[in-house]
Amino acid sequence: MAQANAGDGTVGKALDALDQVASMGRPVRFAELLEESAYPKATLYRFLQTLTNQGMLSYDARSQTYSLGVRLVRLAHAAWRQSSLAPIARPYVEDLAREVQATVHLAQLDGGQVLYVDKQNPSNPINMYSESGKVGPGYCTGVGKAMLAFVDEATLERALTQQTYHRHTENTLCSPQELMEELREIRKTGISFDREEHEMSIICLAVPILSSQDRVLGAISVTNSTHRTSLDELKKFAPILKACAKNIADTAESWRFPEHDKLAK
Amino acid sequence: MAQANAGDGTVGKALDALDQVASMGRPVRFAELLEESAYPKATLYRFLQTLTNQGMLSYDARSQTYSLGVRLVRLAHAAWRQSSLAPIARPYVEDLAREVQATVHLAQLDGGQVLYVDKQNPSNPINMYSESGKVGPGYCTGVGKAMLAFVDEATLERALTQQTYHRHTENTLCSPQELMEELREIRKTGISFDREEHEMSIICLAVPILSSQDRVLGAISVTNSTHRTSLDELKKFAPILKACAKNIADTAESWRFPEHDKLAK
DNA sequence: CCCTTTGTTCCAAATAATGAAACTTAATTT
DNA sequence: AAATTAAGTTTCATTATTTGGAACAAAGGG
């Protein structure tokens, strides 16, 4: 994994290092990080020290390993509450899951990737944190395509280059061309399918959550398996999904921007 | 709110700015931040730009406000999974909550403060993320005192200075002296009470989670209200709590340090 | 004991951060 | 509509920090 991120001076580089530790998914030693890092020994070393001082990383002297620090958990709690749609959308998502009797995902766009910020499973309404924060590919998930179809030109272009296309199943759209065509279709209908593109026997129906100025706020989806339902069956939920998305968008806007009504004329 | 954090060059300062946004708890405008900031206009401005570029903040052009970015949610998910005790302790905490039929908290120390990383409520096993990441005072909570009682001299001293003592109730321990005395007692018995010190009618029993080298990994507690139980009743759970803490510690150690068994001799 | 690996510190050169001030919008008042 | 104020953004010479090769220290073998 090469260092993707160039710009933004010292801070950007230090955050690169932070991401690198995060991407390992376990406590790591200095040498391991050095191997994969684009930065020289002393430089990386200082970054890790700084981040540790700052509580963004924690260092275990016994095993000489770095892990992500608790400060992140604190920050993230605030981030999830103030910046994600999840707390606002929660009641609507719950209702939707109950109504469709299937798993509902709430996602937002993060770079070219899909970031899941909430999940509701009607049969097992538990265990939220373990799903929030997961990331998925943008080009082969229902929510990903639903969002990409409605972002502005510039964002889309950037997002498309950030995809690393991989043929997960025989249905996966593996090129920007195929994807663009699909997105055109989605823009027309307002709904997006995952036709076993990411994982066999998993299908889903997704719709974007759009602000009143048609800015993409996020997306919601209903997921199910081909053993329990079909695309045609799922499609029947489109109106409910759209209504739910509308509700979330309205609530989000009135919540996040209670003043400045002028512009909305 | 003055800037607390000095050291650590540019990165530290930028993270200060990040924390500042987090502490506001809502989207904020540049001017608001500038007012409270220790940094000059242009400097703060560049920090915000950098953090936004990096996805740690997000900027809404419409309302000209900064909020925490989605990248944090992603990082935090990784942090919670790899760095907190929560995923390891989850099954034990669940069992405990069922057994004692009361709310169980799992906490870790972050600076002088208590960071809650998991919570189980037997009657309503749901809604996790909203609790993880919350912080509380160290000096007047069961888990806080349980952990402080067993940390090393240096950490304790630093933690004590970081408390801002406030008499929440008539039982709150409001000085380092009172607290130290209490900690001595806790060290002797291995259990810690919250005798309505943080909130009236809320009591709790907590025990520390200690590694085999007696390093403080975290703490667990059983919380209840005085209307439903008493301190004496709670005290009866001490053995179960201790056993649970032991289990968590053992699992944590074997999980996080699968190799290097030599030192444990 | 020597050699290797891994982690830490130094320091002069290179680079990036700094912040006062100038500038540009945008909003409000006259 | 012009003038005034406020809010946000850019500039640039100065200053301070980062940089990274290389030397150093410590731990682990052979």
Side-chain angles (χ1 to χ4, degrees), chain B residues 3-244:
Chain B
Q3 235 67 25
N5 194 335
D8 285 320
T10 318
V11 177
K13 292 177 209 165
L15 292 177
D16 266 0
L18 183 64
D19 259 1
Q20 213 199 327
V21 176
S23 74
M24 308 292 286
R26 64 187 161 79
V28 278
R29 309 191 57 167
F30 177 66
E32 291 184 81
L33 292 168
L34 183 60
E35 229 177 334
E36 298 196 352
S37 175
Y39 305 112
K41 211 179 184 185
T43 303
L44 179 65
Y45 183 72
R46 257 178 293 105
F47 283 151
L48 294 177
Q49 290 232 118
T50 303
L51 290 169
T52 304
N53 274 335
Q54 292 295 322
M56 302 294 280
L57 291 178
S58 76
Y59 179 71
D60 182 78
R62 166 116 129 47
S63 59
Q64 296 187 108
T65 54
Y66 295 90
S67 348
L68 296 179
V70 280
R71 182 172 177 186
L72 276 172
V73 176
R74 201 178 59 203
L75 278 170
H77 176 64
W80 184 80
R81 276 222 320 228
Q82 90 175 229
S83 173
S84 87
L85 282 177
I88 292 167
R90 179 59 75 85
Y92 301 110
V93 171
E94 279 175 349
D95 285 353
L96 183 61
R98 209 175 306 118
E99 226 171 321
V100 302
Q101 279 300 306
T103 302
V104 172
H105 283 279
L106 174 69
Q108 294 182 250
L109 215 47
D110 175 22
Q113 296 212 291
V114 166
L115 177 77
Y116 293 100
V117 293
D118 209 350
K119 167 185 174 172
Q120 286 293 325
N121 189 325
S123 55
N124 175 30
I126 204 173
N127 202 346
M128 224 232 89
Y129 210 135
S130 60
E131 290 298 331
S132 290
K134 263 194 186 167
V135 288
Y139 66 100
C140 64
T141 55
V143 282
K145 292 189 295 179
M147 291 189 280
L148 289 176
F150 288 89
V151 297
D152 59 275
E153 201 66 45
T155 312
L156 176 60
E157 194 156 347
R158 203 148 42 84
L160 285 181
T161 63
Q162 282 172 17
Q163 306 295 329
T164 49
Y165 299 93
H166 173 75
R167 171 156 260 119
H168 291 96
T169 77
E170 57 193 34
N171 294 330
T172 310
L173 304 173
C174 276
S175 71
Q177 288 73 43
E178 287 177 283
L179 185 56
M180 284 300 282
E181 197 174 325
E182 169 92 345
L183 295 185
R184 242 191 310 279
E185 188 64 24
I186 293 169
R187 220 169 294 130
K188 233 183 290 176
T189 59
I191 61 176
S192 147
F193 289 105
D194 172 353
R195 307 179 174 83
E196 305 181 67
E197 292 160 40
H198 186 37
E199 201 179 326
M200 278 314 275
S201 85
I202 300 295
I203 54 175
C204 112
L205 169 67
V207 303
I209 302 170
L210 301 173
S211 77
S212 54
Q213 286 96 48
D214 279 337
R215 215 164 57 80
V216 174
L217 302 177
I220 45 173
S221 70
V222 185
T223 305
N224 222 320
S225 89
T226 50
H227 309 121
R228 295 186 50 198
T229 186
S230 67
L231 282 172
D232 279 340
E233 279 298 314
L234 272 187
K235 199 173 178 178
K236 291 180 185 160
F237 292 135
I240 319 180
L241 265 178
K242 282 184 178 175
C244 181

Side-chain angles (χ1 to χ4, degrees), chain A residues 11-233:
Chain A
V11 176
K13 293 177 208 165
L15 292 177
D16 266 359
L18 183 63
D19 259 0
Q20 213 198 327
V21 175
S23 74
M24 307 293 285
R26 64 186 161 78
V28 279
R29 308 191 56 169
F30 176 67
E32 291 183 82
L33 292 168
L34 183 58
E35 229 177 332
E36 297 194 351
S37 175
Y39 304 111
K41 212 181 186 183
T43 304
L44 180 64
Y45 183 73
R46 257 176 295 105
F47 284 150
L48 296 177
Q49 291 229 119
T50 302
L51 290 168
T52 305
N53 274 336
Q54 292 296 322
M56 301 296 279
L57 291 177
S58 76
Y59 180 70
D60 183 77
R62 165 116 130 48
S63 59
Q64 295 187 105
T65 54
Y66 294 90
S67 346
L68 296 178
V70 280
R71 181 175 177 182
L72 277 172
V73 175
R74 202 179 55 202
L75 276 171
H77 176 62
W80 184 82
R81 276 220 322 225
Q82 90 173 228
S83 172
S84 87
L85 282 176
I88 291 166
R90 179 60 76 82
Y92 301 110
V93 171
E94 277 175 350
D95 285 352
L96 183 61
R98 209 176 304 118
E99 226 170 321
V100 302
Q101 278 300 307
T103 301
V104 172
H105 284 278
L106 174 69
Q108 294 181 248
L109 215 48
D110 175 22
Q113 297 211 289
V114 166
L115 177 77
Y116 293 100
V117 294
D118 208 350
K119 168 186 174 173
Q120 286 292 324
N121 188 326
S123 56
N124 174 30
I126 203 173
N127 202 347
M128 225 231 89
Y129 209 132
S130 60
E131 290 299 331
S132 291
K134 263 194 186 167
V135 288
Y139 67 99
C140 65
T141 55
V143 282
K145 292 188 296 179
M147 290 189 280
L148 288 177
F150 289 90
V151 295
D152 59 277
E153 201 66 47
T155 312
L156 176 60
E157 194 156 346
R158 203 148 43 84
L160 285 179
T161 63
Q162 282 171 18
Q163 305 295 329
T164 49
Y165 298 93
H166 172 73
R167 171 155 260 120
H168 291 96
T169 78
E170 56 192 36
N171 295 332
T172 310
L173 304 174
C174 276
S175 70
Q177 288 74 41
E178 288 178 284
L179 185 55
M180 284 300 282
E181 198 172 324
E182 169 92 347
L183 294 185
R184 241 189 313 278
E185 187 65 24
I186 293 169
R187 221 169 293 133
K188 230 183 294 175
T189 59
I191 61 175
S192 148
F193 289 106
D194 171 353
R195 307 179 172 83
E196 304 181 66
E197 293 160 40
H198 186 38
E199 200 178 326
M200 279 313 276
S201 84
I202 299 297
I203 56 176
C204 110
L205 169 68
V207 302
I209 301 170
L210 301 173
S211 78
S212 53
Q213 287 97 46
D214 279 337
R215 217 165 55 82
V216 174
L217 302 177
I220 45 172
S221 71
V222 185
T223 305
N224 220 322
S225 91
T226 50
H227 308 121
R228 296 186 50 197
T229 188
S230 66
L231 281 172
D232 280 340
E233 280 297 316

